[in-house]
Amino acid sequence: MGYTIAQKIIKNHLLSGEMKVGTDIGLKIDQTLTQDATGTMAYLEFEAIGVPRVKTEKSVAYIDHNTLQTGFENADDHRFIQTVAKKHGIWFSRPGNGICHQVHLERFGIPGKTLIGSDSHTPTGGGIGMLAMGAGGLDVAVAMGGGAYYITMPQMVRVNLTGKLSAWVSAKDVILEVLRIMSVKGGVGKIIEYAGEGVKTLSVPERATITNMGAELGATTSIFPSDEVTREFLKAQGREEVWTELKSDDDAVYDEEINIDLSKLAPMAACPHSPDNVKTIEEIGPQKIDQVCIGSCTNSSYLDLMRVAAILKGKTVHPGVSLSIAPGSKQVYNMLALNGALGDLIGAGARILECACGPCIGMGQSPNSAGISLRTFNRNFLGRSGTKDGQIYLVSPETAAASALTGVFTDPRTLGAPVEITLPEKFLINDNMVVEPIEESKMDEVEVLRGPNIKPFPKTSPLDASIDASCSLKVGDNITTDHIMPAGAKILPLRSNIPAISQHCFTVCDPEFPRRALELGKSVIVGGSNYGQGSSREHAALAPLYLGVKAVLVKSFARIHRANLINAGILPLTFTNADDYDRIDQGDELALENIREKVEKGEPIVVRNVTKGIEIPVDCDLTERTRDIILAGGLLDYTRESNK
Ligand code: MIC
Ligand code: SF4
């Protein structure tokens, strides 16, 4: 039996386990990336593990999220990351160099290699045939120290692409179609591989848009073959030598197949407040809009912005619309500046932002009250834009630019003759904003600078013999990590300060939660299905840990968040019968008797609802390794123990 592309990479990197779906496998990690919002924690954890020098082939620390610098906190964090990176062998991409995923694809990614990043959109690297996965900071820290990265061996989904995109229809519309078909939980436990004749019609930046937003499917990752198109892209980046061909075997077996005829797709939008709430622009109709934001790691490539510039050239943004544009990298920005396209954007009235995440993570550009904002981003979760009642629609750059000109939802196909943009034969290559680490022999010369906002990792303790705690919060389905640990300009600067950031935990759902949880001392959170979807931020586990949450009991979990809970030593439980969700109310007293022994022996677990006098069977699917992590009180303690 042949292998799929992902299976080939997994096979080459397998450190433990077997490639049997649903079982735990440990992978050797070749490259890591961090960004600043999750990076400070990841490096504090790396320091705590105590390995002097990273053991990966390449580790890069990016600064792209917290660049507003409304106080000293962000700048202090940047210095911390810069110095800690220099000391321990990590390359440092300075603020201004661009969004981690865009820059990594351009300058560092290599087909066939494994990459984990402390950011859920790391699968962008799948656009050049990397096995690239989002992970919690602690998992990245362990991988930097040479440890394996553990995942559950995923199922393989093949998306067959046939035909060719029609004029004005974009790669963004392809992933919106996949989201429409599969939903935000349809990818959990799966790797999505793109195949078929349609693949070669898509350039690398287009493929990267698709694998990037595959994160919204809940998938482990998404991947394209590495072919002649990939070679051309790498050659244009001056890196042809890292290219290798990668394709699936003819007799590879997939668990699921989806067929998409590219020529049949139309411009679409993900409507508020979920990336899978997809409609065509035609169905939405010519509704008035207030804002357009172009950028983010999904759609900020040279190709995307050149198309936008061609649409806007010589025109003026509608007076009722504010248009902002953030290029994805310094390379893109600089090329637009040199070829005149930047002038076209400025001339049309676009508000040019620095190349960083910016409005995607609520760092500025919040829309007006109840404002309709069209964004080329990947997430439109409630409140993420910074305006609680903001109505965020996720669209392609073409739809965004066309609508910015008319002031209403506009199908770009009404613009007439298509713009023909091709990738340059040579990109502008200038890595002057990437700082090399110091040689190992000189590492003692580097002083790691820590600002007063940087507080240590919260205290963990081994799993208690029994847990008696009340339900401090009950929430519904599809809770995102933006609900659990909101971001935005006010809260992001506290990413290195768990006690302070914890005060914002779950405040989107219930402003009283942090105070109540702290008062209770110990508690349990109850939730619905796909709990913890979205970002990889381990703060969504560390803040509950700090607030005394001992267990989270839900109908089902999203992959990265479940791993983060385990890493933080919080017990992840699921209802054996989903209907039992209705048998616990917020405030109920719960008891998990002899839980330590039961976890240790793998015995059935029952939650006793003391208030209602009933017993509820629950599952806690742990492998030998995750069981030991939970017993130890989290991955940090477990790793320190194992390194002794
Ligand atoms: C996001 O898009 O939500 C983020 C901000 O990039 C996160 C990481 C974070 O919360 O820092 C992600 O996607 O992992
Ligand atoms: Fe940054 Fe947005 Fe991409 Fe997250 S999704 S990495 S915030 S651009």
Side-chain angles (χ1 to χ4, degrees):
M1 190 184 82
Y3 293 110
T4 71
I5 304 169
Q7 286 168 343
K8 287 185 185 183
I9 304 180
I10 291 174
K11 192 163 164 277
N12 282 338
H13 291 82
L14 203 59
L15 293 179
S16 71
E18 282 174 60
M19 294 209 298
K20 220 172 109 219
V21 171
T23 61
D24 226 20
I25 52 170
L27 295 176
K28 176 181 175 299
I29 296 303
D30 303 319
Q31 297 191 345
T32 63
L33 70 80
T34 57
Q35 39 90 337
D36 49 324
T38 53
T40 43
M41 268 299 144
Y43 293 113
L44 287 172
E45 290 154 350
F46 179 75
E47 286 183 310
I49 293 170
V51 177
R53 187 92 182 163
V54 289
K55 296 190 175 151
T56 44
E57 290 171 14
K58 189 124 220 165
S59 286
V60 190
Y62 294 89
I63 306 290
D64 53 4
H65 281 60
N66 290 332
T67 55
L68 265 188
Q69 296 170 228
T70 47
F72 64 92
E73 293 89 347
N74 295 161
D76 279 6
D77 286 355
H78 299 173
R79 273 179 192 277
F80 166 67
I81 294 178
Q82 178 158 10
T83 48
V84 87
K86 182 165 189 177
K87 189 174 184 105
H88 297 289
I90 299 142
W91 298 73
F92 178 72
S93 171
R94 295 167 59 186
N97 198 41
I99 306 175
C100 54
H101 309 303
Q102 174 69 25
V103 178
H104 207 86
L105 188 80
E106 291 168 354
R107 307 303 309 141
F108 300 109
I110 300 179
K113 297 277 181 189
T114 51
L115 163 71
I116 66 167
S118 60
D119 191 283
S120 61
H121 291 102
T122 306
T124 313
I128 51 168
M130 295 192 92
L131 189 76
M133 293 161 288
L138 193 41
D139 282 321
V140 176
V142 169
M144 286 192 287
Y149 176 56
Y150 292 86
I151 56 168
T152 307
M153 180 67 197
Q155 292 189 331
M156 300 290 147
V157 180
R158 179 178 157 117
V159 180
N160 288 314
L161 301 178
T162 52
K164 187 174 179 310
L165 289 172
S166 333
W168 299 111
V169 183
S170 189
K172 183 62 156 281
D173 300 310
V174 179
I175 186 62
L176 288 174
E177 173 70 357
V178 181
L179 274 152
R180 193 185 66 74
I181 299 171
M182 294 185 78
S183 90
V184 289
K185 40 186 180 192
V188 177
K190 299 174 187 173
I191 290 183
I192 319 290
E193 276 195 27
Y194 290 86
E197 280 302 295
V199 164
K200 61 175 186 299
T201 69
L202 297 171
S203 66
V204 163
E206 291 171 314
R207 296 174 183 187
T209 293
I210 296 171
T211 57
N212 168 287
M213 203 171 168
E216 272 49 71
L217 298 163
T220 304
T221 189
S222 303
I223 191 165
F224 270 84
S226 167
D227 56 9
E228 279 309 312
V229 175
T230 323
R231 188 215 287 260
E232 282 307 309
F233 174 82
L234 289 169
K235 186 170 168 206
Q237 289 287 356
R239 305 199 291 122
E240 191 183 3
E241 71 288 351
V242 302
W243 179 81
T244 42
E245 189 182 28
L246 267 178
K247 55 180 181 187
S248 59
D249 291 330
D250 294 338
D251 55 347
V253 178
Y254 291 84
D255 301 278
E256 200 178 319
E257 297 218 12
I258 291 175
N259 295 307
I260 295 179
D261 181 349
L262 295 174
S263 66
K264 297 233 163 74
L265 297 182
M268 287 179 261
C271 306
H273 298 285
S274 183
D276 60 359
N277 186 13
V278 175
K279 292 195 181 132
T280 62
I281 301 297
E282 216 175 341
E283 276 169 320
I284 295 171
Q287 269 190 67
K288 185 182 158 309
I289 65 167
D290 301 289
Q291 188 191 44
V292 172
C293 299
I294 297 176
S296 93
C297 55
T298 315
N299 278 127
S300 58
S301 66
Y302 173 82
L303 203 63
D304 285 334
L305 296 196
M306 285 301 288
R307 285 184 181 144
V308 169
I311 296 171
L312 297 183
K313 186 173 179 160
K315 313 234 168 68
T316 303
V317 172
H318 187 276
V321 176
S322 157
L323 167 67
S324 73
I325 301 180
S329 68
K330 173 169 150 285
Q331 181 182 76
V332 172
Y333 201 2
N334 213 344
M335 286 176 74
L336 298 182
L338 292 172
N339 72 13
L342 183 61
D344 298 332
L345 300 176
I346 297 171
R351 301 166 64 182
I352 309 294
L353 308 177
E354 69 172 313
C355 29
C357 300
C360 178
I361 187 63
M363 296 301 263
Q365 301 294 321
S366 300
N368 52 301
S369 297
I372 296 194
S373 177
L374 269 60
R375 301 178 160 209
T376 64
F377 308 165
N378 47 41
R379 288 184 176 150
N380 57 349
F381 303 145
L382 184 71
R384 181 173 162 105
S385 67
T387 301
K388 209 166 174 191
D389 57 359
Q391 304 293 310
I392 313 299
Y393 290 77
L394 307 172
V395 298
S396 69
E398 292 84 344
T399 300
S403 307
L405 292 176
T406 59
V408 294
F409 276 89
T410 302
D411 185 326
R413 290 176 300 184
T414 57
L415 290 176
V419 291
E420 283 302 335
I421 307 286
T422 46
L423 281 181
E425 257 169 49
K426 195 124 207 76
F427 287 96
L428 176 70
I429 296 160
N430 181 357
D431 292 327
N432 62 339
M433 293 290 276
V434 180
V435 183
E436 236 181 277
I438 203 159
E439 290 161 38
E440 190 166 2
S441 58
K442 297 196 182 142
M443 68 178 272
D444 290 341
E445 292 171 18
V446 183
E447 185 199 347
V448 177
L449 303 172
R450 288 165 224 273
N453 186 45
I454 299 184
K455 297 279 186 284
F457 193 82
K459 229 176 109 349
T460 51
S461 55
L463 180 64
D464 292 336
S466 293
I467 298 174
D468 292 297
S470 56
C471 167
S472 52
L473 186 73
K474 184 172 178 185
V475 287
D477 289 341
N478 289 324
I479 286 294
T480 71
T481 49
D482 278 276
H483 291 103
I484 308 175
M485 198 60 263
K490 286 201 204 92
I491 306 179
L492 270 184
L494 305 173
R495 280 292 180 90
S496 328
N497 185 340
I498 300 296
I501 205 169
S502 299
Q503 301 310 315
H504 301 274
C505 184
F506 265 120
T507 45
V508 180
C509 304
D510 180 350
E512 291 303 309
F513 171 73
R515 194 189 44 78
R516 187 166 63 242
L518 269 182
E519 266 171 29
L520 287 168
K522 270 188 205 169
S523 70
V524 176
I525 292 174
V526 172
S529 58
N530 200 25
Y531 179 90
Q533 66 160 327
S535 146
S536 68
R537 60 190 72 151
E538 60 189 335
H539 300 76
L542 297 181
L545 169 71
Y546 177 81
L547 297 174
V549 173
K550 296 287 169 193
V552 177
L553 170 57
V554 297
K555 291 185 188 168
S556 67
F557 285 103
R559 177 186 76 92
I560 305 177
H561 184 61
R562 183 175 186 274
N564 284 339
L565 286 173
I566 295 175
N567 288 350
I570 298 178
L571 205 56
L573 303 172
T574 49
F575 289 102
T576 310
N577 311 310
D579 293 347
D580 283 342
Y581 168 82
D582 298 324
R583 302 174 77 205
I584 303 181
D585 289 313
Q586 194 165 304
D588 284 357
E589 283 300 325
L590 307 174
L592 284 144
E593 278 142 22
N594 298 326
I595 185 67
R596 186 173 177 94
E597 194 184 328
K598 287 189 177 151
V599 168
E600 236 166 6
K601 297 190 176 149
E603 288 172 358
I605 303 175
V606 163
V607 172
R608 198 153 58 78
N609 187 333
V610 182
T611 308
K612 297 199 166 37
I614 47 177
E615 298 212 322
I616 297 171
V618 298
D619 298 316
C620 181
D621 284 332
L622 295 172
T623 59
E624 202 176 313
R625 176 181 160 273
T626 48
R627 183 199 63 202
D628 290 347
I629 294 175
I630 283 284
L631 292 173
L635 183 58
L636 208 50
D637 300 273
Y638 169 85
T639 309
R640 271 191 299 232
E641 285 292 311
S642 343
N643 282 356
K644 267 184 197 160

